[in-house]
Amino acid sequence: MKNTLLAVSFFLVTFALQAQKPEITYATPLVIGADTAMVPLTPVNTGGALSPDGIFVTTFVGSTTSGFVNGTGSEARFYYPTGLAVDKSGNTFVTDKYNHVIRKITPAGVVSTFAGSGSIGSADGQGAAASFYYPAALVIDPNGNLFVSDQYNQKIRKITKDGLVSTFAGNGIEGFVNGPALEALFYRPEGIAMDSSGNFFIADVYNHSIRKITPMERVHLQASITLVHWLLMLLEMCLWQTNGTIKFAK
């Protein structure tokens, strides 16, 4: 099942691996005089077969051979790609799961390694200095940041558009604990999605649950602390102490 989804979602391969597009031409020149009946035009197809609905499946990048190679189109190699996200510029980011990296594909089909060293690990850092352990899925926010379910690290990782990797949620221990993002526990997080309010939803596979991460909750908490701080300052302005007795200003 996973292999089927993999093929459909990424390689875009149908029954023929290298499906050709139709190449339709007409006999030329074709001159029709005035008051002359139109001659039916007969198209000639020298390319691939026509699709009744006009939809064609082709291979964008990669091949059926696994590996870890950057390059253009079929030169590139992946090893069990599982997740995709596309940014506003048309770049596609891929969780290359068994290579433990995040790959980037330009609209022209040029494949590069965006983050990760290719070795198993959980290090944060810039680009290749970071490491993953079976990254499974990813989503992109309106600012171009990627959020990756780092499945065997039991974490959700954040990658800025400049390639800086950090830990967004989870402390790396298998478990099921809710709470502040870096204290929460996951057990093989996989699917990830984000709604229009910035909430993240995580398919926590071995915990048989859907987890929710609400960044705004931290903002609300900070706002509450700030409000208390200002109230204390206001109270201090309204109070003074004389001989150990607190008196209220009128």
Side-chain angles (χ1 to χ4, degrees):
M1 184 62 171
K2 288 185 177 180
N3 288 334
T4 301
L5 292 174
L6 170 62
V8 172
S9 63
F10 180 68
F11 283 111
L12 304 180
V13 179
T14 185
F15 302 105
L17 176 62
Q18 299 293 337
Q20 291 182 317
K21 296 180 180 179
E23 296 291 341
I24 307 299
T25 58
Y26 295 89
T28 56
L30 178 61
V31 180
I32 300 176
D35 300 322
T36 302
M38 288 285 294
V39 177
L41 299 177
T42 302
V44 177
N45 179 19
T46 58
L50 291 170
S51 170
D53 54 10
I55 299 174
F56 294 88
V57 179
T58 60
T59 302
F60 182 43
V61 293
S63 73
T64 56
T65 302
S66 63
F68 186 18
V69 178
N70 291 320
T72 302
S74 59
E75 298 172 357
R77 295 289 183 271
F78 300 83
Y79 194 5
Y80 211 89
T82 54
L84 296 171
V86 181
D87 68 12
K88 295 177 181 178
S89 300
N91 298 300
T92 303
F93 296 88
V94 183
T95 48
D96 193 356
K97 190 171 184 177
Y98 285 6
N99 280 325
H100 312 289
V101 294
I102 309 302
R103 311 289 288 279
K104 177 182 178 180
I105 311 170
T106 68
V110 179
V111 179
S112 60
T113 301
F114 185 63
S117 63
S119 299
I120 291 173
S122 61
D124 292 332
Q126 184 71 41
S131 54
F132 300 86
Y133 193 0
Y134 292 147
L138 73 172
V139 67
I140 190 166
D141 74 5
N143 297 319
N145 299 303
L146 294 170
F147 294 84
V148 180
S149 54
D150 194 0
Q151 192 170 40
Y152 274 56
N153 276 325
Q154 325 302 337
K155 294 179 179 181
I156 306 302
R157 313 288 291 281
K158 177 182 177 180
I159 312 174
T160 68
K161 59 184 178 182
D162 297 321
L164 180 62
V165 180
S166 61
T167 298
F168 181 67
N171 72 356
I173 300 174
E174 297 173 354
F176 183 49
V177 175
N178 292 319
L182 297 179
E183 298 176 13
L185 301 185
F186 300 90
Y187 197 2
R188 302 290 192 268
E190 190 164 340
I192 182 170
M194 182 180 65
D195 67 15
S196 59
S197 299
N199 299 302
F200 294 88
F201 298 88
I202 315 296
D204 196 358
V205 177
Y206 284 10
N207 279 323
H208 313 287
S209 60
I210 307 300
R211 314 289 291 278
K212 179 181 179 181
I213 304 174
T214 310
M216 290 302 293
E217 288 181 354
R218 296 198 294 272
V219 174
H220 289 160
L221 176 60
Q222 182 61 45
S224 298
I225 294 172
T226 303
L227 178 60
V228 171
H229 176 71
W230 281 106
L231 286 174
L232 289 174
M233 289 182 62
L234 181 62
L235 181 60
E236 185 177 0
M237 292 173 62
C238 296
L239 295 172
W240 74 87
Q241 186 173 1
T242 305
N243 296 326
T245 302
I246 297 177
K247 296 183 178 180
F248 288 87
K250 294 182 179 180

